[in-house]
């Protein structure tokens, strides 16, 4: 573990130089090429002073649908998002400007942590990566994105291995992490809970292995 002069450990050598960043997107459908990206949240994973994994600074944006985007009514009903709600429209950002803002801050954190790239962590991570990559292509921000182009870490797999659960809410509850179903399908809330689950599994992993060994001598 690398430790900077101020004594705070950094992530630089822990994941082959990758900075884990938990990402969740809320969309207006399942097709990343045609359906609107409506919300994105990112939380980098860092160490606390004791060298345990913890969620870092949350970055979040509501987005205006890109020009020509499809809005699937069933998806909107599922997430509860109304893209044209006046209050939402007042705070929503242009897709390109929001991505550049988030990417800039993630790049700063990546450098602070001694990492070469960010690696996307998600629950069904390739879904989030697909929408993120489509937005990067639309907005011409390929040179700004700090994310690895195809590698991910997925809490579906981690939850299945650690708790036998693949649904985010169930995996969180198995880990004794509070999960409010009424708050679900908000990108920020889901990202926060996914980050808590990811950190909990990593921080508990040595004990989980010990417990498994003791149960199966």
């Amino acid at each position: 573990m690398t430790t900077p002069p101020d004594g705070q450990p950094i992530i630089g050598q822990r994941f082959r130089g990758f900075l884990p960043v938990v990402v969740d997107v809320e969309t207006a459908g399942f097709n990343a090429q045609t359906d609107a990206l409506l919300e994105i949240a990112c939380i980098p994973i860092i160490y606390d002073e004791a060298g345990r994994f913890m969620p870092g600074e949350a970055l979040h944006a509501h987005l205006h649908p890109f020009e020509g985007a499809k809005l699937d009514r069933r998806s909107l009903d599922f997430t509860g998002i109304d893209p044209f709600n006046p209050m939402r429209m007042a705070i929503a950002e242009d897709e390109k400007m929001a991505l550049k803002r988030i990417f800039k801050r993630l790049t700063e954190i990546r450098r602070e942590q001694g990492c070469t790239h960010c690696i996307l962590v998600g629950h069904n991570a390739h879904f989030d990566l697909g929408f993120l990559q489509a937005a990067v292509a639309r907005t011409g921000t390929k040179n700004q994105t700090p994310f690895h182009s195809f590698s991910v870490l997925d809490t579906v797999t981690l939850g299945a291995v650690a708790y036998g659960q693949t649904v985010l809410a169930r995996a969180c509850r198995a880990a004794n992490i509070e999960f409010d179903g009424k708050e679900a399908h908000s990108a920020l809330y889901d990202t926060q809970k996914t980050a808590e689950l990811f950190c909990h599994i990593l921080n508990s992993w040595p004990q989980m292995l010990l417990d498994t060994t003791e149960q199966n001598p």
Side-chain angles (χ1 to χ4, degrees), residues 89-151:
M89 292 182 68
I91 62 172
E93 300 178 59
D94 170 77
E95 195 175 53
K96 182 173 184 177
M97 297 301 295
L99 289 182
K100 290 180 70 173
R101 172 178 63 81
I102 290 172
F103 291 166
K104 180 177 184 294
R105 181 58 187 142
L106 287 177
T107 297
E108 293 170 351
I109 297 170
R110 172 186 66 75
R111 290 171 177 165
E112 291 167 2
Q113 293 294 320
C115 295
T116 57
H117 291 86
C118 296
I119 184 168
L120 187 147
V121 181
H123 204 76
N124 294 308
H126 279 289
F127 178 86
D128 301 285
L129 182 63
F131 270 88
L132 180 63
Q133 289 180 325
V136 166
R138 276 194 304 271
T139 57
T141 52
K142 183 177 180 180
N143 291 334
Q144 283 80 43
T145 178
F147 285 97
H148 193 283
S149 60
F150 57 84
S151 290

Side-chain angles (χ1 to χ4, degrees), residues 22 43 45 53-55 155 163 168 172 175-179 188-204:
V22 181
I43 298 180
I45 303 301
F53 296 100
M54 62 173 282
T155 52
Y163 302 112
L168 178 60
C172 284
N176 293 317
I177 296 170
E178 182 180 350
F179 192 96
L188 183 57
Y189 186 81
D190 287 356
T191 303
Q192 290 169 336
K193 292 303 167 182
T194 303
E196 289 179 35
L197 178 65
F198 182 72
C199 291
H200 181 82
I201 291 174
L202 291 182
N203 289 330
S204 303

